[in-house]
Amino acid sequence: MANNTADHPPGNSVTEIDQDGDFGITMIQLRDLMELRSGEAVSKIAECYGDVQGICRRLKTSTIEGLSANPTDLEKRYTVFGKNFIPPKKPKTFLQLVWEALQDVTLIILEVAAIISLGLSFYHPQGEGKDNCGQASGGVEDEGEAQAGWIEGAAILFSVIIVVLVTAFNDWSKEKQFRGLQNRIEKEQKFTVIRKGQVIQISVAEIVVGDIAQIKYGDLLPADGILIQGNDLKIDESSLTGESDHVRKSLEKDPMLLSGTHVMEGSGRMVVTAVGMNSQTGIIVTLLGATGEDEKKVKKAKTQDGIALEIQPLKSEEGAETEEKEEKEKKKVNVSKKEKSVLQSKLTRLAVQIGKAGLIMSAVTVIILILYFVIDTFGVQGHKWTAECTPIYVQYFVKFFIIGVTVLVVAVPEGLPLAVTISLAYSVKKMMKDNNLVRHLDACETMGNATAICSDKTGTLTMNRMTVVQAYIGDTHYKNVPEPGAINPETLELLVNSISINSAYTTKIMPPEMEGGLPRHVGNKTECSLLGLVLDLKRDYQPIRDEIPEEKLYKVYTFNSSRKSMSTVLKNATGPGFRMYSKGASEIVLRKCSHVLDASGQPRAFKAKDRDEMVRKVIEPMACDGLRTICVAMRNFTTEPDWDNEAEILNDLTCICVVGIEDPVRHEVPEAIAKCQRAGITVRMVTGDNINTARAIATKCGILQPGEDFLCMEGKEFNQQIRNDKGEVEQERLDKVWPKLRVLARSSPTDKHTLVKGIIDSTVGETRQVVAVTGDGTNDGPALKKADVGFAMGIAGTDVAKEASDIILTDDNFTSIVKAVMWGRNVYDSISKFLQFQLTVNVVAVIVAFTGACITQDSPLKAVQMLWVNLIMDTLASLALATEPPTESLLLRKPYGRNKPLISRTMMKNILGHAIYQLVITFTLLFAGEKLFNIDNGRNAPLHSPPSEHYTIIFNVFVMMQLFNEINARKIHGERNVFEGIYRNPIFCSVVLGTFVLQIVIVQFGGKPFSCTALTIDQWLWCVFIGVGELLWGQLISAIPTHHLKFLKEAGHGIPKNEFSEEVLTEGENEIDIAEMELRRGQILWFRGLNRIQTQIKVVNAFRSSLYEGLEKPDSRNSIHNFMSHPEFVPLSEEEPHVFQIDENSVQIEPIFSFSGAGVGSV
């Protein structure tokens, strides 16, 4: 490519810019130009500017030297053309988050009750006529209530305010954390430009119009530009156009490159013509405006082929909000995106169950109280309803309503959403230290349920520090790198030239950063190993590259997943003709060789039998040593062929040498894989290497164990086994292969996606598999998206892979994945611990409030005391139990799986066991406490009496029992030692001590607001002693074998495999997934589920009744929305004669016949 430095000197002087007063082209002209495509753009450039060089001259830049990097010049460009920055949306203010938190149904009920209570406290009816209106025990208004009646309402409101502030603060800090994470991702995103003739990497935000940028495979373009020089360049423009086909770019046909698009193949250079808000992405963002609603509409409308439009590129300081919205849009539009996480679906179902139970209990309480009052007043006492008595009766009824609401408040665990959010946020923060950068919160928890990991080999299991250790040159197999003198000089010259020229010029070996360190490998690691071979042969590659710069390369066939080779063509300097250098996977390139250089450097014929012999004697021994084999070859052309006919060009080659490259296994990987296997996780290696190398590495890692019956196969064989005669993948065939498959070699990205999808969609096991996938290349995007958790490589990963992933491994190390599993399981266990504690409190408090209210017509625990126990203690408990650090023991058990309930039988035993202890103690104190402690009876106390010691002791003992039960709740699998590792969690210790101190303050100084009176030291010791009894009782419970308690039910199941997803029918109706939306906000609206559930059951019944009997409900796994089922909803038919398959690209339902486990289902 000719360079026009003569037309404009590279060192663009500032004085010249000042004289011109402006550039030779305006921002508007460039914007208009960038809106044209292909032929139109080429003719417009030719008509107005001559060629791309003309545009470069007007932008005062050199295609070879780039910009001068003069600060004044850069500043001028910022001013004229704008900065490469898209302003973020404003984050939600704290007040907005407070308002959102106030929308919680539970809190609304509390607020209404509090306001009614407050209103009534200021309304005092006249005293006369009271005697005629009847009298109920525990009357509405005693002196304490008269003086401090407002306190209960105020205390409820105060508690609501605390919960709202905690939730809002949590959401605010989460959003802040996401913005920080987004900024971190942005800062890490660098781009290669040429300035002052030097190739440098700068932050994407620093790119200006006029920069000459180098682009390569895997890049996400940060700005609009026009191609100056390209090698086999293909771009994925689906993020802007919705067209999934890759667009070939060339100077002659289509040189326009757009920001936000992905480079899928090839390399090249472009001149930047539009940045930030003036780029095509920026213009679309501007059109969308700032509202999320418009954004959704445009995204929805512009979607084609199931591809969601990623309007927002990685470079934009849009925080979490945009990213989450974008992800959500992708989830809604693209059916292949993940369904909601395991924990979310279980929590949603459990929330509905608890909500129902709470509603029933509170309704029954209110009904019993009203009936008792009505029968007693109008039946037994024979009073009549008179006008003057109406206010008093209303007060009674409102009091009953408040008691009912108190029961409801206690029944619904508000602390749960908080526990979930705290646990996830805490884990994400800590995972950063373990080299896991979590992009989506729920991925953290899903990872704990992973049953399979499909890992790359290079860089993840191995060090990705490649070194040539063996070579076959001139008919000799060298077990070590040979001395230069041992090789024929002509062969050596060819080898050095081939490696130096036929590799990306961005790949280099740099001096070590620290003295005595290893040289730094920059760029493609395989190419680095070959350049290392050149240096080992006492030669240098740089002078050759300086002599033949990239502009002189006639044609480049860049490496891609289908070619598995790279070739570069040079025009002969001395005479006519061309020379092509090639390199690639040995078995692929050798098949295209017809000659090989012998010891004297002369080509001799290389037939099929010679190739078989070389494979047997050279390549297989190298591969069995775990080496990656690369063949370097060449070909001379006397006349110019048709360069587009690749099959003809990449043929008739002459083999120069075959090298064996070692990529040592990371030292820590075998142990990490052993941990995974102990934890019930199957590790599979999916690699592009040949099968022998893959098998050798897999054996070193421990993926393959001697004597085990496992499959290792190549992509070609894999496809033959899983596809039918028409070439379509059949799930049934795939189900026969994947359970035993451990190594998939010579696999394409499509094979990886097929394998991941096949495992996820499989119905072979009892539960659906949860699959994690690692990927670094652009083509790994679909597999990363399809997987339940996608891990992208932070160092070797391309921008495209990072965008498709859920977690970024900042150190590219497999060990970090194991840590992610540990943290994921810890989140799950933390939630279960909290549930065990919370539900014990709830069961006891509900029963005490319910029976107390029915027997004494007043709850032994007052509303404010209940709120202290329920809201404040649970908020603190969620903090204590959700921040338990993970231990290695988490990896000694199998994954829970999708269908295992949140509350296991052991946990149910603990909940009910401790509830029995607490209820016996509470009722003993309620009905015999005055005798035991020799104090006045607090039951049926006369009116106008101050808070009694009797009821204060009940309240205090209740809190002490919860406090010590919190220590029991630390273990959920029936372990005996509940104190194990307690010192490693300072938060837990401080919460327990803090709660204890607060309880002392409330009892001793709470007075009327808390209905408490100060206790003596003896009484305090008895209260603590009864509390400590919880620990001893816990030991007794854990001694009872769970398997004998068959009557215990489990709760909080996942969604069964055979459950029907109603959303499949209404996919286009933009259905909102409750659990997904609400868990993100850290809130679950417990009661909305009840209404939805009734509707859904009607829909399901209607749908099922229209089909013939015996029809099994279609499988919901292909749907991104999951049906929140009715807990008691049992399938009518247990047989499985019919399975429905939902096509991913359309909502067609195709019946396929399948067989039930025992016998054949009738069709």
Side-chain angles (χ1 to χ4, degrees):
M1 184 64 63
N3 90 58
N4 293 11
T5 42
D7 298 350
H8 180 74
N12 18 54
S13 64
V14 180
T15 51
E16 190 178 340
I17 291 171
D18 290 341
Q19 284 165 3
D20 287 356
D22 208 341
F23 296 91
I25 187 167
T26 65
M27 187 176 76
I28 303 297
Q29 287 173 318
L30 284 172
R31 249 174 87 157
D32 293 344
L33 179 61
M34 290 315 296
E35 283 175 3
L36 301 175
R37 299 285 176 272
S38 52
E40 280 183 8
V42 174
S43 51
K44 177 79 173 173
I45 291 170
E47 183 188 319
C48 298
Y49 310 106
D51 57 7
V52 181
Q53 302 291 336
I55 294 175
C56 291
R57 282 195 294 276
R58 293 186 185 215
L59 287 173
K60 306 183 192 308
T61 184
S62 155
T63 55
I64 306 298
E65 299 284 320
L67 294 177
S68 65
N70 181 322
T72 322
D73 174 31
L74 295 178
E75 198 52 50
K76 173 93 175 169
R77 289 173 192 273
Y78 283 139
T79 313
V80 176
F81 299 109
K83 292 193 173 188
N84 194 26
F85 164 74
I86 295 173
K89 276 185 196 148
K90 285 180 184 169
K92 283 183 182 167
T93 62
F94 188 73
L95 284 176
Q96 282 174 307
L97 292 168
V98 166
W99 176 247
E100 279 184 12
L102 278 167
Q103 308 303 308
D104 192 312
V105 180
T106 324
L107 295 182
I108 291 168
I109 292 173
L110 277 173
E111 288 154 22
V112 170
I115 290 162
I116 291 172
S117 175
L118 263 179
L120 287 171
S121 69
F122 295 120
Y123 167 69
H124 302 298
Q126 299 303 311
E128 63 266 10
K130 258 192 184 179
D131 295 338
N132 305 328
C133 301
Q135 197 55 263
S137 57
V140 173
E141 218 183 283
D142 56 27
E143 190 188 5
E145 293 257 340
Q147 288 178 0
W150 61 273
I151 287 173
E152 185 175 35
I156 294 175
L157 282 180
F158 180 68
S159 305
V160 167
I161 289 164
I162 286 179
V163 171
V164 165
L165 288 177
V166 168
T167 311
F169 176 75
N170 220 25
D171 285 354
W172 177 78
S173 59
K174 189 174 96 178
E175 192 159 297
K176 191 176 162 199
Q177 188 185 11
F178 264 114
R179 284 183 181 269
L181 172 64
Q182 184 73 1
N183 290 339
R184 176 170 169 173
I185 291 171
E186 281 159 12
K187 280 176 190 154
E188 282 179 359
Q189 201 201 359
K190 302 262 196 250
F191 212 75
T192 309
V193 297
I194 302 170
R195 287 189 182 172
K196 286 200 222 165
Q198 296 291 313
V199 177
I200 58 166
Q201 285 210 322
I202 60 170
S203 167
V204 163
E206 294 171 23
I207 292 174
V208 293
V209 169
D211 259 324
I212 305 296
Q214 288 197 341
I215 54 176
K216 62 184 187 309
Y217 157 85
D219 282 345
L220 180 131
L221 299 185
D224 292 354
I226 301 174
L227 191 66
I228 300 172
Q229 174 258 326
N231 302 321
D232 200 19
L233 196 62
K234 285 186 185 169
I235 305 284
D236 174 9
E237 293 187 346
S238 62
S239 58
L240 285 177
T241 63
E243 295 294 336
S244 55
D245 293 339
H246 298 165
V247 182
R248 186 183 285 276
K249 297 288 178 181
S250 64
L251 284 166
E252 300 77 37
K253 292 184 179 166
D254 185 1
M256 312 310 270
L257 300 169
L258 307 174
S259 61
T261 59
H262 300 133
V263 181
M264 301 309 279
E265 275 184 39
S267 61
R269 283 180 302 144
M270 71 171 189
V271 57
V272 175
T273 53
V275 293
M277 296 307 283
N278 300 308
S279 66
Q280 290 302 294
T281 300
I283 292 166
I284 291 174
V285 170
T286 314
L287 286 174
L288 292 177
T291 62
E293 288 307 307
D294 295 347
E295 192 166 330
K296 282 182 188 170
K297 282 176 198 160
V298 175
K299 281 188 184 176
K300 203 79 175 158
K302 282 193 170 185
T303 300
Q304 264 177 279
D305 303 329
I307 294 158
L309 300 189
E310 303 159 32
I311 297 301
Q312 199 57 45
L314 200 64
K315 169 70 218 132
S316 127
E317 297 189 359
E318 291 266 23
E321 186 187 1
T322 314
E323 190 175 281
E324 284 183 16
K325 268 189 192 140
E326 204 173 295
E327 284 304 318
K328 225 163 275 176
E329 283 307 310
K330 286 185 199 169
K331 284 185 184 181
K332 275 183 216 161
V333 178
N334 192 352
V335 180
S336 71
K337 191 59 187 162
K338 310 159 181 95
E339 55 202 66
K340 70 182 170 193
S341 79
V342 185
L343 186 66
Q344 281 170 273
S345 56
K346 290 182 183 179
L347 281 174
T348 308
R349 291 164 66 93
L350 189 66
V352 173
Q353 290 169 329
I354 294 172
K356 270 173 63 179
L359 272 176
I360 292 164
M361 285 296 272
S362 59
V364 169
T365 308
V366 174
I367 290 165
I368 288 175
L369 286 169
I370 291 173
L371 283 176
Y372 188 100
F373 174 76
V374 169
I375 292 166
D376 186 52
T377 309
F378 303 119
V380 179
Q381 297 178 26
H383 292 287
K384 290 198 165 47
W385 188 300
T386 55
E388 67 267 18
C389 291
T390 302
I392 293 170
Y393 295 151
V394 168
Q395 272 203 289
Y396 273 118
F397 291 144
V398 169
K399 173 166 182 169
F400 300 151
F401 172 71
I402 286 178
I403 291 173
V405 171
T406 307
V407 172
L408 179 64
V409 166
V410 172
V412 178
E414 303 83 59
L416 186 55
L418 198 61
V420 174
T421 318
I422 288 173
S423 186
L424 286 174
Y426 173 77
S427 300
V428 166
K429 209 167 181 182
K430 293 287 186 187
M431 282 170 81
M432 290 281 277
K433 291 178 183 167
D434 283 342
N435 302 307
N436 283 288
L437 198 148
V438 182
R439 295 180 75 233
H440 304 126
L441 263 184
D442 54 1
C444 162
E445 162 268 314
T446 306
M447 201 53 216
N449 285 288
T451 54
I453 298 174
C454 296
S455 173
D456 281 349
K457 174 179 76 69
T458 308
T460 314
L461 301 172
T462 60
M463 288 182 181
N464 203 14
R465 187 169 181 88
M466 310 239 188
T467 323
V468 173
V469 290
Q470 293 186 26
Y472 177 85
I473 308 175
D475 292 341
T476 312
H477 184 176
Y478 297 95
K479 292 288 184 181
N480 296 301
V481 175
E483 290 296 317
I487 305 171
N488 179 286
E490 287 175 22
T491 307
L492 183 62
E493 192 64 30
L494 271 175
L495 177 62
V496 170
N497 279 346
S498 176
I499 291 171
S500 304
I501 294 163
N502 185 32
S503 56
Y505 277 30
T506 49
T507 302
K508 301 184 178 107
I509 294 182
M510 310 287 278
E513 283 179 337
M514 292 162 62
E515 210 173 319
L518 292 165
R520 282 183 299 137
H521 287 184
V522 177
N524 183 291
K525 299 295 187 272
T526 308
E527 290 181 347
C528 284
S529 70
L530 293 170
L531 293 177
L533 174 65
V534 170
L535 299 176
D536 288 345
L537 293 169
K538 313 288 189 286
R539 303 293 289 270
D540 191 1
Y541 59 85
Q542 200 53 51
I544 298 168
R545 287 181 171 182
D546 293 342
E547 189 186 328
I548 305 172
E550 271 189 291
E551 289 70 39
K552 289 192 179 174
L553 305 180
Y554 192 80
K555 173 83 179 164
V556 179
Y557 297 93
T558 53
F559 181 90
N560 67 25
S561 54
S562 53
R563 268 189 208 128
K564 293 227 186 302
S565 66
M566 174 181 176
S567 306
T568 303
V569 181
L570 291 177
K571 204 169 192 316
N572 288 339
T574 49
F578 302 86
R579 171 168 286 180
M580 180 177 77
Y581 294 115
S582 288
K583 70 167 189 289
S586 56
E587 61 266 48
I588 288 170
V589 176
L590 281 176
R591 274 205 295 271
K592 296 170 180 174
C593 288
S594 58
H595 294 81
V596 62
L597 295 182
D598 60 17
S600 60
Q602 297 305 309
R604 63 173 168 81
F606 185 66
K607 299 192 172 64
K609 65 174 180 19
D610 300 326
R611 183 169 65 243
D612 293 344
E613 189 180 352
M614 186 187 276
V615 167
R616 200 174 63 254
K617 289 189 174 172
V618 178
I619 290 170
E620 281 186 1
M622 281 187 185
C624 290
D625 289 341
L627 304 184
R628 187 176 186 177
T629 53
I630 299 284
C631 176
V632 180
M634 58 162 281
R635 180 181 178 184
N636 289 318
F637 297 91
T638 48
T639 57
E640 182 160 6
D642 174 9
W643 297 114
D644 289 333
N645 184 358
E646 268 188 58
E648 186 54 45
I649 300 289
L650 297 177
N651 210 351
D652 198 19
L653 304 175
T654 302
C655 170
I656 302 172
C657 81
V658 173
V659 296
I661 298 173
E662 182 181 49
D663 185 10
V665 172
R666 289 176 184 264
H667 304 304
E668 62 275 25
V669 161
E671 190 192 344
I673 286 177
K675 280 181 186 172
C676 280
Q677 289 163 343
R678 274 200 303 276
I681 301 168
T682 308
V683 182
R684 293 179 175 84
M685 180 199 286
V686 183
T687 177
D689 253 344
N690 78 49
I691 194 154
N692 292 324
T693 308
R695 192 185 282 120
I697 298 284
T699 309
K700 283 181 189 173
C701 291
I703 292 173
L704 294 176
Q705 304 286 352
E708 288 185 341
D709 177 25
F710 288 136
L711 292 176
C712 293
M713 56 171 65
E714 291 194 342
K716 197 173 175 185
E717 187 191 347
F718 174 69
N719 279 301
Q720 283 169 356
Q721 293 206 17
I722 64 166
R723 292 180 189 273
N724 59 19
D725 302 337
K726 296 177 187 169
E728 296 162 343
V729 176
E730 282 189 5
Q731 186 65 44
E732 206 175 303
R733 290 175 176 230
L734 191 54
D735 285 347
K736 290 176 185 167
V737 175
W738 74 258
K740 286 189 175 181
L741 184 69
R742 290 296 175 273
V743 175
L744 186 59
R746 283 278 172 253
S747 67
S748 68
T750 318
D751 297 338
K752 194 176 193 175
H753 181 262
T754 307
L755 175 66
V756 171
K757 183 178 179 300
I759 296 176
I760 288 175
D761 290 353
S762 175
T763 51
V764 170
E766 289 174 21
T767 59
R768 149 158 147 42
Q769 296 275 312
V770 177
V771 184
V773 168
T774 68
D776 53 9
T778 302
N779 292 321
D780 288 331
L784 287 168
K785 264 199 166 70
K786 179 67 194 172
D788 293 287
V789 182
F791 285 90
M793 300 299 146
I795 302 167
T798 60
D799 296 338
V800 184
K802 287 177 188 174
E803 275 211 334
S805 70
D806 300 294
I807 298 176
I808 296 172
L809 294 178
T810 52
D811 63 345
D812 289 14
N813 193 336
F814 186 84
T815 320
S816 302
I817 299 176
V818 181
K819 286 178 181 163
V821 172
M822 209 156 78
W823 275 107
R825 291 188 174 189
N826 193 55
V827 167
Y828 202 90
D829 276 10
S830 294
I831 304 304
S832 293
K833 287 171 189 175
F834 178 72
L835 268 175
Q836 179 173 297
F837 172 72
Q838 171 97 57
L839 293 180
T840 311
V841 179
N842 289 11
V843 166
V844 177
V846 166
I847 294 173
V848 168
F850 174 71
T851 49
C854 294
I855 294 167
T856 66
Q857 281 204 288
D858 191 10
S859 172
L861 297 173
K862 299 290 181 286
V864 177
Q865 294 175 349
M866 286 280 211
L867 285 165
W868 157 241
V869 169
N870 192 56
L871 295 172
I872 315 302
M873 264 184 74
D874 291 348
T875 301
L876 292 170
S878 65
L879 192 64
L881 292 167
T883 53
E884 286 270 330
T887 59
E888 288 283 333
S889 62
L890 287 166
L891 296 174
L892 298 176
R893 62 165 174 79
K894 301 281 181 275
Y896 283 136
R898 285 193 167 261
N899 297 353
K900 185 164 169 66
L902 265 176
I903 300 169
S904 63
R905 231 187 218 116
T906 307
M907 286 169 62
M908 194 61 89
K909 176 185 77 175
N910 291 342
I911 290 168
L912 294 180
H914 288 292
I916 290 166
Y917 175 84
Q918 293 182 14
L919 286 170
V920 168
I921 296 284
T922 308
F923 285 133
T924 305
L925 289 175
L926 179 59
F927 297 111
E930 71 276 15
K931 296 183 186 124
L932 295 172
F933 283 97
N934 196 19
I935 50 176
D936 292 331
N937 180 5
R939 293 187 316 281
N940 307 321
L943 292 173
H944 320 305
S945 61
S948 67
E949 281 184 298
H950 186 186
Y951 274 35
T952 305
I953 287 174
I954 293 174
F955 167 57
N956 200 26
V957 165
F958 185 78
V959 172
M960 288 300 119
M961 289 192 295
Q962 304 320 325
L963 208 52
F964 286 98
N965 192 33
E966 199 169 328
I967 298 170
N968 280 327
R970 291 185 68 247
K971 303 294 175 191
I972 52 171
H973 299 298
E975 299 93 330
R976 284 298 183 90
N977 184 3
V978 292
F979 290 100
E980 186 191 351
I982 198 165
Y983 304 114
R984 288 197 301 125
N985 189 358
I987 298 176
F988 183 88
C989 298
S990 50
V991 163
V992 171
L993 289 171
T995 312
F996 188 68
V997 170
L998 276 170
Q999 180 63 15
I1000 294 172
V1001 172
I1002 287 169
V1003 170
Q1004 298 303 107
F1005 310 106
K1008 280 180 184 159
F1010 280 93
S1011 306
C1012 285
T1013 183
L1015 298 179
T1016 65
I1017 190 75
D1018 288 358
Q1019 290 165 339
W1020 263 104
L1021 287 170
W1022 274 107
C1023 293
V1024 173
F1025 175 72
I1026 294 169
V1028 172
E1030 265 288 3
L1031 295 175
L1032 303 172
W1033 183 255
Q1035 294 300 308
L1036 194 66
I1037 292 172
S1038 59
I1040 302 169
T1042 311
H1043 57 86
H1044 289 331
L1045 308 173
K1046 294 277 190 264
F1047 61 88
L1048 287 180
K1049 286 274 169 61
E1050 300 164 324
H1053 288 261
I1055 290 176
K1057 223 165 34 170
N1058 58 354
E1059 200 132 291
F1060 172 63
S1061 173
E1062 171 250 349
E1063 270 84 1
V1064 173
L1065 301 177
T1066 58
E1067 186 115 40
E1069 292 174 23
N1070 210 357
E1071 185 75 32
I1072 292 168
D1073 185 336
I1074 286 186
E1076 187 166 21
M1077 296 281 285
E1078 300 309 318
L1079 210 77
R1080 278 247 161 92
R1081 267 179 43 208
Q1083 299 221 345
I1084 293 177
L1085 300 180
W1086 306 99
F1087 301 103
R1088 221 157 89 190
L1090 291 173
N1091 296 331
R1092 279 196 62 186
I1093 234 133
Q1094 289 154 357
T1095 320
Q1096 287 168 334
I1097 287 165
K1098 283 176 193 163
V1099 172
V1100 172
N1101 289 338
F1103 180 74
R1104 295 176 83 233
S1105 63
S1106 66
L1107 301 165
Y1108 49 85
E1109 253 196 14
L1111 174 64
E1112 181 55 87
K1113 293 180 296 281
D1115 199 319
S1116 70
R1117 279 172 293 95
N1118 282 352
S1119 167
I1120 50 169
H1121 300 298
N1122 265 351
F1123 175 41
M1124 281 184 3
S1125 82
H1126 192 290
E1128 284 77 52
F1129 188 43
V1130 181
L1132 295 182
S1133 161
E1134 294 300 328
E1135 292 180 322
E1136 212 174 358
H1138 228 87
V1139 175
F1140 267 56
Q1141 188 179 54
I1142 289 127
D1143 186 354
E1144 282 204 321
N1145 298 323
S1146 61
V1147 191
Q1148 293 173 351
I1149 299 177
E1150 318 163 357
I1152 324 168
F1153 299 109
S1154 74
F1155 297 98
S1156 187
V1160 181
S1162 56
V1163 177

